[in-house]
Amino acid sequence: MYIAKHLIQTTVSGDTSLITSFHYENGSGSKVYLQGNLHGPEIFGTALLIKLIEYLKENPIIAGTLTVVPQANPFGVQSQMYGLIYGRWNPQTGNNWNRIFSKQEGDGVESVLARTLISLAKDHEVVLDIHTSGAETIPYVFTSKEASDVLYPLGGECHILYDESDYYGAFDETMWKCGKESGKKVSAATWEASSHMTLDEKDLDARFKDLLYFLSSLGMLNKEEDMSLSYPKLFSMKQAQYLFSSQAGYLTWTKSVGEVIQTGETYANIYEPWSGEMKHLYAKSPLILLSKGTLQAVSSGQEIGNIIVL
Ligand SMILES: [Zn+2]
């Protein structure tokens, strides 16, 4: 095992922003790349991968190559204000940190970050980018149709499948596309593993079990106890949509994440400060509530969650 440091930026005061990668190898076998915390508020992946690094000290990989980048973006997590981490976008450019991977040329810091992560991940057959979703979520996965079977042991109730027409410069899609262009199968995915800005030990333990099971399914770790997994429901990218509030006010949820909500069913209450009344939000068509947004005081038209439109 070895650890490598990668310089991303020297700041005006002379400090450096680095990425740290952990490298494991034991003969031939699967080549797996794991990263976390590309988006600032999505700190869960980092803690999960540190758990893995600790675990590997006592339980080394039995076959293959594993690269782990617990914190893929030194800037996002440091964008903090009044108890919030808001680093989903680069404050200098307004660009989403997970839409920077289509442009890898030049001296811009986004290109340097994109090049560094892509060069660390390339030559791996399985690429997993660990993210989080909203204030509360079910675990779910974005991946390609061909990779869905490989990702199945990771758990997750839904797989949202993309194809070439869905490309928008996200990390996993870029690694999948690079693989396709060079004639190699790369099973790449974004794993929405927990919720934003929270580290819950119970949740960490549950997802860690999923991760170990996944790595053992790739022949990288000793076989874990069999888990009874049900096959995820498969959806297209077009079905994965944001949920916008049709009304303004203070919002409380009346449905749970993972629930199917039928047309006409109430899923949230809205408290209007100007009328003194409580109103409801109804489903306009059948949907699955994937995650609830963090904002509970909303204007009409604001994003309040992630859904699958059925
Ligand atoms: Zn994210």
Side-chain angles (χ1 to χ4, degrees):
M1 194 278 271
Y2 69 93
I3 299 171
K5 303 273 179 190
H6 312 273
L7 176 66
I8 306 299
Q9 187 177 52
T10 304
T11 67
V12 64
S13 55
D15 296 325
T16 48
S17 296
L18 303 165
I19 282 178
T20 307
S21 54
F22 296 74
H23 301 260
Y24 305 83
E25 201 173 340
N26 190 357
S28 59
S30 300
K31 295 179 175 175
V32 180
Y33 174 87
L34 306 170
Q35 75 173 29
N37 207 186
L38 182 60
H39 282 138
E42 308 186 16
I43 58 179
F44 187 86
T46 306
L48 191 64
L49 292 176
I50 299 302
K51 262 177 123 62
L52 178 66
I53 289 165
E54 288 275 6
Y55 177 88
L56 292 172
K57 288 177 188 166
E58 302 294 323
N59 307 275
I61 63 169
I62 53 171
T65 303
L66 175 66
T67 303
V68 183
V69 177
Q71 190 198 71
N73 180 354
F75 311 114
V77 71
Q78 293 181 67
S79 300
Q80 301 183 353
M81 197 189 336
Y82 192 52
L84 292 171
I85 306 172
Y86 60 88
R88 182 174 175 83
W89 299 270
N90 179 351
Q92 299 286 347
T93 62
N95 291 332
N96 181 330
W97 286 115
N98 198 20
R99 301 291 183 273
I100 62 171
F101 297 97
S102 54
K103 188 172 171 285
Q104 297 156 37
E105 305 80 31
D107 295 329
V109 71
E110 291 172 5
S111 297
V112 175
L113 180 64
R115 271 203 303 277
T116 305
L117 294 175
I118 287 169
S119 70
L120 281 164
K122 75 173 172 28
D123 301 329
H124 294 72
E125 298 148 354
V126 178
V127 173
L128 187 60
D129 189 15
I130 306 170
H131 284 246
T132 62
S133 184
E136 198 186 334
T137 189
I138 54 164
Y140 62 100
V141 169
F142 290 95
T143 190
S144 64
K145 197 174 160 200
E146 309 91 86
S148 185
D149 283 348
V150 177
L151 272 298
Y152 157 68
L154 192 61
E157 294 176 36
C158 300
H159 282 187
I160 299 163
L161 306 178
Y162 48 72
D163 59 34
E164 274 95 349
S165 64
D166 298 311
Y167 184 70
Y168 49 89
F171 181 71
D172 61 327
E173 285 185 319
T174 302
M175 298 318 298
W176 170 66
K177 199 165 156 254
C178 290
K180 258 194 150 153
E181 282 163 7
S182 56
K184 283 184 274 181
K185 184 187 171 186
V186 176
S187 300
T190 294
W191 185 21
E192 305 287 355
S194 184
S195 48
H196 293 341
M197 290 207 305
T198 52
L199 288 175
D200 176 75
E201 283 291 348
K202 253 171 79 182
D203 228 14
L204 274 171
D205 284 345
R207 295 296 81 77
F208 186 56
K209 213 170 150 207
D210 293 340
L211 182 60
L212 292 186
Y213 191 73
F214 176 58
L215 293 175
S216 72
S217 78
L218 297 168
M220 185 157 271
L221 294 174
N222 278 317
K223 189 96 178 74
E224 289 286 305
E225 274 170 54
D226 267 346
M227 285 169 74
S228 55
L229 292 172
S230 52
Y231 203 81
K233 298 184 195 95
L234 305 180
F235 302 102
S236 70
M237 281 292 273
K238 281 154 206 73
Q239 289 177 280
Q241 295 183 13
Y242 293 117
L243 179 64
F244 297 99
S245 181
S246 58
Q247 300 183 57
Y250 292 63
L251 179 147
T252 60
W253 293 93
T254 56
K255 294 284 185 186
S256 305
V257 290
E259 268 192 82
V260 175
I261 304 167
Q262 300 297 346
T263 308
E265 271 192 281
T266 298
Y267 60 80
N269 296 329
I270 286 273
Y271 295 84
E272 289 181 348
W274 63 90
S275 68
E277 292 173 8
M278 184 189 76
K279 304 277 176 66
H280 305 288
L281 294 181
Y282 301 96
K284 303 223 163 69
S285 60
L287 57 91
I288 299 174
L289 183 61
L290 291 176
S291 64
K292 298 174 179 177
T294 46
L295 207 60
Q296 287 187 270
V298 297
S299 300
S300 63
Q302 275 195 290
E303 187 188 314
I304 53 173
N306 291 80
I307 56 170
I308 294 285
V309 174
L310 296 170

